[in-house]
Amino acid sequence: MQRRRVLTFGSAGLGAIGLTLFAGWWQVDGPGAAQSDRLRPLALSDMNFRMVDHEGITVTPQSLVGRATMVFFGFTYCPDVCPTTLSDISLWLDDLGNDADELNVVFITVDSERDTVDAMADYVSYFHPAIRGWVGVSDQIAQAADDFRANYEKVPLEDGDYTMNHTASVFLFNPTGEFVSTIDYHEQREFAVPKIRRALKSGADTTS
Amino acid sequence: MRLTAKNTLLAGVLSAFGLTAILSAPVLAGGNDVVVEDAWSRASIGSNRPGVAYMTIRNTGNEAVTLTSIRTDLARMPEIHQTSTNAEGVSSMAPAGELEIAPGGFVALEPGGLHAMLMRLQRPMIEGERFTLTLIFADGAEKTVNVPIFGIAARGPES
């Protein structure tokens, strides 16, 4: 990319080339890169929270290390985005076939008030059996979102109830627990499954 | 009797009103020009959580129609909502307000976008059952839709 730019702007003089290269470096590797809208999640082993899964077992991000991991934030009172994403995930898992056995799939609630262990157990039972639901107290949910660089916010509805805004991307980690990529909401399914396969194959020596 | 200028004017105004009333008649029947396709919904877990319904609303008429509200005996507070996802990947949901559908145009209520949010469910939405949802338009026309309920993990009208 930079080589092409050099060729394109070659006749414009060395100053322009230098400026172009500098601008490219600034945006890709330099201080400008840190300004991108999204921060990378921490490695699972560097995260620091504790929750309970839908079977009542205490879980931590460290308990996921050893297998590739897919994580999605949501809440069980979510009428549109969460069931849609969970049914997408269920389809991806069907596509992966036996390879899905090598994958942790975790749905983390952002709604500490309403999502109890029982509510979560009931909810995840309608989707692919590999999906684990994690619930927790509010400060642990806040820490989890922080570690994943995810956002959520409680929003009152007109009827006195509330809904939750939340990051709807699916996070992918390799078996050693390093962040690999995200599958964004509305991303085409043909891109999603290869991304998951890449996370599954991404070994200890490949951290990108 | 001779018509005075004043009377002529009055007659003109009256007939103009009459004409308007006649011309308005097809507009008042705007709901008849609305066709709803591919309506579907997902089963709920109990009745505490809001339900959702999706469909394509097509305006086959020559006048724009404006969907102002929805009504169903299934939910005390049904409302069209819009889900949107920002550059940071955060999804949020808000009332969509009135939806104008141009002549020959359509509005798609589909996962991750516009949807009929069924708040305050009066009873659980059970897979395999159906319910009726009435679309109410600005001209007073109404269109009642029979919506099938699919499973919680359903993805579309074909499920």
Side-chain angles (χ1 to χ4, degrees):
Chain A
M1 192 58 113
Q2 286 186 351
R3 185 175 297 167
R4 179 177 287 180
R5 280 190 185 166
V6 170
L7 288 172
T8 309
F9 292 103
S11 61
L14 283 173
I17 294 168
L19 194 64
T20 306
L21 289 174
F22 178 76
W25 166 81
W26 184 272
Q27 283 168 9
V28 178
D29 298 313
Q35 313 269 319
S36 87
D37 358 42
R38 296 199 219 176
L39 295 164
R40 285 172 74 87
L42 300 181
L44 293 173
S45 51
D46 294 334
M47 293 186 179
N48 187 28
F49 65 91
R50 181 176 294 267
M51 297 182 99
V52 177
D53 76 6
H54 67 273
E55 292 183 274
I57 301 164
T58 300
V59 283
T60 64
Q62 286 73 28
S63 60
L64 301 170
V65 176
R67 304 204 302 171
T69 297
M70 183 153 71
V71 174
F72 170 68
F73 285 85
F75 61 114
T76 76
Y77 279 64
C78 163
D80 183 41
V81 167
C82 306
T84 302
T85 302
L86 287 171
S87 67
D88 281 346
I89 288 174
S90 300
L91 269 185
W92 302 338
L93 293 173
D94 289 343
D95 275 8
L96 287 166
N98 290 338
D99 292 342
D101 299 342
E102 301 304 313
L103 192 64
N104 299 309
V105 189
V106 182
F107 175 57
I108 299 181
T109 185
V110 293
D111 187 353
S112 61
E113 288 171 53
R114 296 182 296 200
D115 285 342
T116 60
V117 169
D118 287 345
M120 184 56 92
D122 201 7
Y123 193 71
V124 296
S125 73
Y126 291 96
F127 300 95
H128 193 286
I131 300 172
R132 313 288 301 176
W134 288 15
V135 303
V137 293
S138 60
D139 65 328
Q140 295 300 300
I141 291 173
Q143 185 63 50
D146 213 35
D147 290 349
F148 280 93
R149 312 306 190 211
N151 295 298
Y152 65 96
E153 186 189 5
K154 183 174 167 177
V155 182
L157 290 171
E158 313 91 284
D159 67 348
D161 262 345
Y162 64 92
T163 186
M164 306 290 298
N165 294 347
H166 60 92
T167 299
S169 306
V170 175
F171 297 92
L172 291 169
F173 295 82
N174 69 17
T176 53
E178 280 129 356
F179 171 68
V180 177
S181 60
T182 52
I183 301 168
D184 285 340
Y185 193 60
H186 280 324
E187 197 164 319
Q188 305 267 4
R189 188 173 162 211
E190 46 269 39
F191 298 125
V193 173
K195 277 187 173 180
I196 300 168
R197 289 201 185 278
R198 197 149 56 87
L200 282 163
K201 286 187 188 132
S202 164
D205 45 48
T206 46
T207 56
S208 57
Chain B
M1 197 170 107
R2 286 182 61 198
L3 291 172
T4 61
K6 196 177 171 186
N7 281 346
T8 309
L9 185 64
L10 187 63
V13 168
L14 283 175
S15 65
F17 269 115
L19 194 62
T20 307
I22 291 160
L23 286 177
S24 307
V27 179
L28 283 169
N32 294 333
D33 294 326
V34 170
V35 176
V36 176
E37 296 160 355
D38 296 336
W40 65 286
S41 63
R42 292 195 185 101
S44 67
I45 302 174
S47 55
N48 288 332
R49 294 174 173 84
V52 73
Y54 304 104
M55 66 198 70
T56 300
I57 307 166
R58 206 173 279 284
N59 178 7
T60 62
N62 299 320
E63 303 271 347
V65 295
T66 302
L67 177 64
T68 52
S69 59
I70 54 177
R71 185 179 69 227
T72 172
D73 70 340
L74 176 65
R76 287 229 306 270
M77 218 188 142
E79 192 171 48
I80 304 286
H81 277 212
Q82 166 93 55
T83 297
S84 47
T85 306
N86 70 11
E88 283 78 42
V90 176
S91 256
S92 57
M93 208 166 52
E98 297 188 343
L99 296 178
E100 185 177 304
I101 313 173
F106 69 93
V107 161
L109 310 190
E110 55 191 4
L114 290 165
H115 53 275
M117 172 120 154
L118 310 174
M119 293 174 282
R120 295 259 173 263
L121 285 182
Q122 298 293 89
R123 54 184 187 273
M125 296 172 71
I126 296 164
E127 183 174 356
E129 294 188 354
R130 304 178 81 95
F131 67 97
T132 54
L133 181 79
T134 301
L135 308 176
I136 302 162
F137 295 92
D139 60 7
E142 296 189 353
K143 177 85 183 173
T144 296
V145 188
N146 192 246
V147 187
I149 303 171
F150 299 134
I152 291 176
R155 306 175 47 79
E158 68 288 346
S159 312

